[in-house]
Amino acid sequence: MNKILIIANWKMNPQTLNEAKVIFEIAKKAAKENQNAEIVICPPFIFLADLTKHLKGASSFQLGGQNCSWEQQGAYTGEISPLMLKTLGCSYVIIGHSERRCFLNETDEMINKKIKAALKAGLKPVLCVGEKEGEDVGLVIERQLKEGLKEVDDVRVKNIIIAYEPVWAIGSGRACSTDDAMKAVLLIKKNLTKLYARNLAEKVKILYGGSVSSKNADVYIKKVGMDGLLVGGASLNTSEFLRIIKSTGL
Ligand code: PGA
């Protein structure tokens, strides 16, 4: 049986390594106790080198980056390469998060370059897609998938994960309705089958993100049929995060 993929996006939190270690260890214990889930922690880069030393001991417990460069090395001040993340022990990397699209003007073209660089380094990219309030969800998903996955071939698409994160749902407490989440899954699948052979497109994991809490987490998994969750704010609240993990168990 496929494990539910639960990715914790800590964003620019917490403030200290000690706090990060506490949250990390609690999540690791939860990964050991909940074999139905694969749990991926995406902390700020600065904590990765330390946390990676404590990764062992739970087989379904991984680290990921929140972003990466589209180059593997060189004169790119302030950037972190996918190869560096991989060498450090990361398995995943979030790419195209709406906060980076909005605040840092990341374009679909930049995101596509990052996806290809991450795949080349052996990471699994988590491509975030989703509409802003008032935008046409169908058009946005179509464009973000088509542009984001340009030149990603049939062989490499197996390592891609798509996270549907409507921008208006992120950090707002207004999680997406079941019906809208189902529509988004269908749209993502339809667009993937335009780009790839059906048997490959169907294997791509689809996650939901945006105000996930213990009150709604199980609905996206059990009712909507999502393969997992991308959890922001609630992943830093250890008791809430544990409830989310537990609630997705069958
Ligand atoms: P949220 O964030 O769970 O705090 O809404 C999700 C995300 O930004 O990935």
Side-chain angles (χ1 to χ4, degrees), residues 6 18 24-25 41 44 73 79 94 104 109 120 126 137 146 152 159 165 170 184 187 189 205 215-216 218 227 244:
I6 301 181
N18 278 346
F24 185 81
E25 287 301 334
I41 305 292
Q73 60 176 49
E79 290 294 283
I94 299 171
L104 295 154
E109 194 191 346
K120 197 169 174 194
V126 181
V137 55
K146 196 167 157 231
V152 173
N159 292 322
E165 295 209 303
I170 295 177
L187 280 167
K189 290 199 163 147
K205 287 191 173 168
K215 293 197 176 73
N216 58 34
D218 65 325
D227 300 298
I244 290 174

Side-chain angles (χ1 to χ4, degrees), residues 27-176:
K28 181 173 165 180
K29 190 163 171 274
K32 283 190 201 161
E33 289 167 0
N34 294 272
Q35 291 294 326
N36 65 299
E38 173 170 5
I39 296 166
V40 182
I41 305 292
C42 299
F45 289 134
I46 197 163
F47 300 142
L48 279 171
D50 191 279
L51 296 182
T52 194
K53 292 185 218 148
H54 308 280
L55 205 50
K56 290 214 174 70
S59 57
S60 292
F61 191 59
Q62 310 283 345
L63 274 173
Q66 295 176 13
N67 172 47
C68 68
S69 170
W70 58 69
E71 296 291 343
Q72 306 294 358
Q73 60 176 49
Y76 299 95
T77 303
E79 290 294 283
I80 306 281
S81 85
L83 197 54
M84 289 169 171
L85 293 178
K86 181 69 185 174
T87 309
L88 211 49
C90 287
S91 310
Y92 292 83
V93 61
I94 299 171
I95 295 185
H97 190 281
S98 67
E99 283 150 17
R100 300 194 60 86
R101 291 182 191 258
C102 298
F103 304 143
L104 295 154
N105 293 330
E106 273 195 14
T107 62
D108 289 318
E109 194 191 346
M110 289 155 80
I111 288 161
N112 175 245
K113 290 205 285 183
K114 291 180 182 206
I115 294 268
K116 287 186 285 188
L119 286 167
K120 197 169 174 194
L123 294 170
K124 291 183 187 164
V126 181
L127 170 60
C128 299
V129 299
E131 79 288 1
K132 291 189 193 136
E133 188 108 65
E135 280 184 332
D136 183 313
V137 55
L139 291 179
V140 172
I141 285 181
E142 183 180 15
R143 191 200 76 233
Q144 290 181 340
L145 287 180
K146 196 167 157 231
E147 301 295 319
L149 297 175
K150 213 176 244 175
E151 293 162 5
V152 173
D153 61 21
D154 280 9
V155 178
R156 292 183 302 163
V157 76
K158 285 181 218 140
N159 292 322
I160 298 268
I161 291 126
I162 307 293
Y164 172 60
E165 295 209 303
V167 181
W168 47 266
I170 295 177
S172 64
R174 287 169 54 211
C176 182

